[in-house]
Amino acid sequence: MGANVRQDAIEGIVSTRYALNRVDFRKTHLKDQFAIQVFNEHQQRQRLPKPVFKALHKTIKLGQPLDPAIADAVANAMKDWAIENGATHYTHQFQPMTGLTAEKHDSFLNPSSNGILAEFSGKELIKGEPDASSFPSGGLRATFEARGYTAWDPSSPAYLMDHPNGSTLVIPTAFLSWTGEALDKKTPLLRSMEALSAQALRIIRLFGNNEAQKVFTTMGPEQEYFLIDKHFYYARPDLLHAGRTLFGAKPPKGQELEDQYFGAIPERVLAYMAEVETELTRLGVPVKTRHNEVAPSQYEIAPLFENSNLATDHQNLTMEVLKRTADKYGLACLLHEKPFAGINGSGKHNNWSMSTDVGENLLDPGQTPHENAQFLVFCCAVIRAISRYGDVLRMAIASAANDHRLGANEAPPAIISIFLGDQLNDIIEQIEQGGAKSTKHGGLFETGLSILPKLPRDAGDRNRTSPFAFTGNKFEFRAVGSSANIAGANTVLNAIVAESLDFIASDLENAVKGGKALNAAIQDLLPKIIKEHKKIIFNGDNYSEEWHREAEKRGLPNLKNTVDCLPVVVKPQTIELLTRYKVYSEKELQSRYVILSENYTKTINIEGQLTAHIARNLILPAAIRYQGEVAQSATALKSAGIDNPAQMELLKTLVGASAELQKSLASLEKVLAHHAEGDAFSHAKQMRDSVLPAMIEVRKAGDKLESLLADDLWPLPTYREMLFSK
Ligand code: ADP
Ligand code: MG
């Protein structure tokens, strides 16, 4: 046993050995594992009567309603498959407004006159009725009418989640109130995809595409995360309960040597990654990339892109598997946006595009002028959308945790702008002047029918500081937080682009109806759009002070934190937009406003309480003990007739620092005890304006004591230990 919990943790790390060969690719090939836990097309085809399979497939591919008559057959096949693979229970999994996933398990067993039978009906597959009263509804539902229901989403396949004793059949669902309002994140996402599809189809029809039946948004999310040893994790109340450290002095070595990014991956971490990837592969998540990230002990995992609905479900699954696999390797996976102050936090790069059901990427510049024109129309729609509704997009990524990251010169600032890259930017500028005739890098554009150019596929250059960057054939939204459910950001993105596509389609349709050639109509419209909205384009360094000043001059909003963003949820333009495309009802938006405000308040309140607890019950006692030791030794020296001014100085410094801690702690406790009058938003505001600053003061005093106290008395695992013990 060490002298304290921290030394015990170090002892545990040194002495524990983990089984690092839980998966062995010499014996199992990943490609043979893909989607074996999923009731996918292959399983459906094998197990369903042909007409049932056909009907189900149509539902899945085109989002058409499922014929209830076939539901029993689908449910039965699903159940047989699940039970053969060790399942005892099924669950309707949904994504409540907490941002996590939720599930309640029901057994397949049903009593009948012939004893107990394993059953699963179409009705049970299609609809569930969990008690919704304990999920946030923001006033959408009073507790006395607690019923909510879950509705099967056939476009996201059911899968088996293994546990040590067997397996559970997981059915992805939407979560609605009894009166039909969305209580979850999936429903609005699906609605936004519908909205975008309808408008995008109008555009591609103008270009003569009568083949595609649907346009999907596609998404590939890159997930950053930290791994620290579990022994440390459990010795830090702040990590355990708030997901981030609320204290911690700067370590002697941080990320300044830049030796971590793409560096060699430690063995234990690599073994962990191998198991995560195997699990995810079996669950049908197309994981692709892994590497070390910039901060010490920070890593990244990225899948291949999929349609946004599936990608969102798979992203939630990825976070879950990352977290639960860590335990087996004695690790804790931190998904928080800013677990450690002073070193980079974690984000989730959200790569986004639009694609037809026959697989044409609408943001791919293509090879011919014709494709170029269509690409430029879609591209201008995105530019216009971000310019008009940048604040709504900013709101969609706001959270107490992400506030620590945005604008901290490690992630994009809170100002939303678009990076196009030199070439595309040059073309956009030429179109604004009345037509593009040459590329920046020499050579002539193919002009042909129109004066719209032939575009090179790869824009080439990169800009890591931009929140929203064109990267060759997709946009990369980089401001999303690492712990967020990506549904929120993508719902807004789809909705605002749908609005611009609607605007453009109407204009072009009218012009064509009036006898104008499509290309002429495009050449009239695009320069206008660019003139009006080019203020959103910025290709320089987004971290610089100049950009902040320039953005202000351009009138771009700079919503610095969550509380600044909250009013955007219910501002008239937001409501008008999101209700027009039936993505949210006004009532649903009002409820989100309340839920997001309450989430913020609860998060900061928990952090405030934890800060006070750690300061009072861990740091202060250690400080007083050390003070006592130093005082005792000083008295002993004095009585031995030895003069030691340095030791007296130390004692004074210690007493001063402890007093500072006590004083700031008293202020924090005072603001925590004070409850703001008024609605959910005023509470959130009080948290930002009173509690957060008081927490920062306590932390400063605590971190100072960390640098002063005897190492054996310090009660919390330090940054140095947590970030560098691998
Ligand atoms: P990085 O941005 O780190 O260089 P990549 O260029 O490899 O990484 O791509 C990052 C992510 O973008 C991957 O998940 C990839 O599947 C995804 N992606 C590629 N094309 C598209 C697309 N058309 N729509 C959405 N995501 C895409
Ligand atoms: Mg990227």
Side-chain angles (χ1 to χ4, degrees), residues 99-125:
L100 313 167
T101 52
E103 50 193 40
K104 176 186 126 211
H105 298 190
D106 279 300
S107 158
F108 286 120
L109 298 185
N110 268 333
S112 82
S113 48
N114 313 334
I116 299 244
L117 281 182
E119 276 180 348
F120 186 46
S121 67
K123 226 176 100 220
E124 286 169 306
L125 166 63

Coordinates of all heavy atoms in Angstrom, one line a residue, residues 99-125:
G99 N -28.5 12.9 -25.3 CA -27.4 12.7 -26.3 C -26.8 11.3 -26.2 O -26.1 10.9 -27.1
L100 N -27.1 10.5 -25.2 CA -26.7 9.1 -25.2 C -27.7 8.2 -25.8 O -28.7 8.7 -26.3 CB -26.5 8.7 -23.7 CG -25.7 9.7 -22.8 CD1 -25.8 9.4 -21.4 CD2 -24.3 9.8 -23.3
T101 N -27.4 6.9 -25.8 CA -28.5 6.0 -26.3 C -29.1 5.4 -25.1 O -28.5 5.3 -24.0 CB -27.9 4.9 -27.2 OG1 -26.8 4.3 -26.5 CG2 -27.4 5.5 -28.5
A102 N -30.4 5.0 -25.3 CA -31.1 4.4 -24.2 C -31.7 3.1 -24.6 O -32.1 2.9 -25.8 CB -32.2 5.3 -23.7
E103 N -31.9 2.1 -23.7 CA -32.5 0.9 -24.1 C -33.1 0.2 -22.9 O -32.7 0.3 -21.8 CB -31.4 -0.1 -24.7 CG -30.1 -0.2 -23.9 CD -28.9 -0.8 -24.6 OE1 -28.8 -0.5 -25.8 OE2 -28.2 -1.6 -24.0
K104 N -34.2 -0.5 -23.1 CA -34.8 -1.3 -22.1 C -34.9 -2.7 -22.7 O -35.4 -2.9 -23.8 CB -36.2 -0.8 -21.8 CG -37.0 -1.6 -20.8 CD -38.4 -1.0 -20.7 CE -39.4 -2.0 -20.9 NZ -40.7 -1.6 -21.5
H105 N -34.5 -3.8 -22.0 CA -34.5 -5.1 -22.6 C -35.7 -5.9 -22.2 O -36.2 -5.9 -21.1 CB -33.2 -5.9 -22.1 CG -31.9 -5.2 -22.5 ND1 -30.7 -5.8 -22.3 CD2 -31.7 -4.0 -23.0 CE1 -29.8 -5.0 -22.8 NE2 -30.3 -3.9 -23.2
D106 N -36.3 -6.6 -23.2 CA -37.4 -7.5 -23.0 C -37.0 -8.9 -23.5 O -36.4 -9.0 -24.5 CB -38.6 -7.0 -23.8 CG -39.4 -5.9 -23.0 OD1 -39.8 -6.2 -21.9 OD2 -39.5 -4.8 -23.6
S107 N -37.4 -9.8 -22.7 CA -37.1 -11.2 -23.1 C -38.0 -11.7 -24.2 O -39.1 -11.2 -24.4 CB -37.4 -12.1 -21.8 OG -37.6 -13.4 -22.2
F108 N -37.5 -12.6 -25.0 CA -38.3 -13.2 -26.1 C -39.4 -14.1 -25.5 O -40.3 -14.6 -26.2 CB -37.5 -14.0 -27.1 CG -36.6 -13.1 -28.0 CD1 -35.2 -13.2 -28.0 CD2 -37.2 -12.3 -28.8 CE1 -34.5 -12.4 -28.8 CE2 -36.5 -11.5 -29.7 CZ -35.1 -11.6 -29.7
L109 N -39.3 -14.5 -24.2 CA -40.2 -15.5 -23.7 C -41.5 -15.0 -23.4 O -41.7 -13.9 -22.9 CB -39.6 -16.1 -22.4 CG -38.2 -16.8 -22.5 CD1 -37.8 -17.4 -21.2 CD2 -38.3 -17.9 -23.6
N110 N -42.5 -15.7 -23.8 CA -43.9 -15.4 -23.6 C -44.7 -16.6 -23.1 O -44.5 -17.7 -23.6 CB -44.6 -14.9 -24.9 CG -44.5 -13.4 -25.0 OD1 -44.4 -12.7 -24.1 ND2 -44.5 -13.0 -26.3
P111 N -45.5 -16.5 -22.0 CA -46.2 -17.6 -21.5 C -47.4 -17.9 -22.5 O -47.9 -17.0 -23.1 CB -46.8 -17.2 -20.2 CG -46.7 -15.7 -20.2 CD -45.7 -15.3 -21.2
S112 N -47.7 -19.2 -22.7 CA -48.8 -19.5 -23.6 C -49.5 -20.8 -23.0 O -49.0 -21.3 -22.0 CB -48.4 -19.8 -25.0 OG -47.9 -21.1 -25.1
S113 N -50.5 -21.2 -23.6 CA -51.2 -22.3 -23.1 C -50.4 -23.6 -23.1 O -50.5 -24.5 -22.3 CB -52.5 -22.6 -23.8 OG -52.3 -22.5 -25.2
N114 N -49.4 -23.6 -24.0 CA -48.5 -24.8 -24.1 C -47.2 -24.6 -23.3 O -46.2 -25.1 -23.6 CB -48.1 -25.1 -25.5 CG -49.3 -25.1 -26.5 OD1 -50.4 -25.3 -26.1 ND2 -49.0 -24.8 -27.7
G115 N -47.2 -23.7 -22.3 CA -46.0 -23.4 -21.6 C -45.3 -22.1 -22.1 O -46.0 -21.3 -22.8
I116 N -44.1 -22.0 -21.9 CA -43.4 -20.8 -22.3 C -42.8 -20.9 -23.7 O -42.2 -21.9 -24.1 CB -42.2 -20.5 -21.3 CG1 -42.8 -20.4 -19.9 CG2 -41.4 -19.4 -21.8 CD1 -42.6 -19.0 -19.3
L117 N -43.1 -19.9 -24.5 CA -42.6 -19.9 -25.9 C -41.7 -18.7 -26.2 O -41.9 -17.7 -25.6 CB -43.8 -19.8 -26.9 CG -44.6 -21.1 -27.1 CD1 -45.7 -20.7 -28.1 CD2 -43.7 -22.2 -27.7
A118 N -40.7 -18.9 -27.1 CA -39.9 -17.8 -27.5 C -40.7 -17.1 -28.7 O -40.9 -17.7 -29.7 CB -38.6 -18.2 -28.0
E119 N -41.1 -15.9 -28.4 CA -41.9 -15.2 -29.5 C -41.4 -13.7 -29.7 O -40.9 -13.1 -28.8 CB -43.4 -15.1 -29.0 CG -44.2 -16.4 -29.3 CD -45.6 -16.3 -28.8 OE1 -45.9 -15.4 -28.1 OE2 -46.4 -17.2 -29.3
F120 N -41.7 -13.3 -30.9 CA -41.4 -11.9 -31.2 C -42.3 -11.5 -32.4 O -42.2 -12.0 -33.5 CB -40.0 -11.7 -31.6 CG -39.5 -10.3 -31.8 CD1 -39.9 -9.3 -30.9 CD2 -38.8 -10.0 -32.9 CE1 -39.4 -8.0 -31.1 CE2 -38.3 -8.7 -33.1 CZ -38.7 -7.7 -32.2
S121 N -43.3 -10.7 -32.1 CA -44.3 -10.4 -33.1 C -43.9 -9.1 -33.9 O -43.1 -8.3 -33.5 CB -45.7 -10.1 -32.5 OG -45.6 -8.9 -31.7
G122 N -44.6 -9.0 -35.1 CA -44.4 -7.8 -35.9 C -44.7 -6.5 -35.1 O -44.0 -5.5 -35.2
K123 N -45.7 -6.6 -34.3 CA -46.1 -5.5 -33.5 C -45.0 -5.1 -32.5 O -44.7 -3.9 -32.3 CB -47.4 -5.8 -32.6 CG -48.5 -4.8 -32.7 CD -49.7 -5.2 -32.0 CE -49.8 -4.6 -30.6 NZ -50.2 -5.5 -29.5
E124 N -44.4 -6.1 -31.9 CA -43.3 -5.8 -31.0 C -42.1 -5.2 -31.7 O -41.3 -4.5 -31.1 CB -42.9 -7.1 -30.2 CG -43.9 -7.5 -29.2 CD -43.7 -8.9 -28.6 OE1 -43.6 -9.8 -29.4 OE2 -43.5 -9.0 -27.4
L125 N -41.9 -5.7 -32.9 CA -40.8 -5.1 -33.7 C -41.0 -3.7 -34.1 O -40.1 -2.8 -33.9 CB -40.6 -6.0 -35.0 CG -39.7 -5.4 -36.1 CD1 -38.3 -5.3 -35.6 CD2 -39.7 -6.2 -37.3

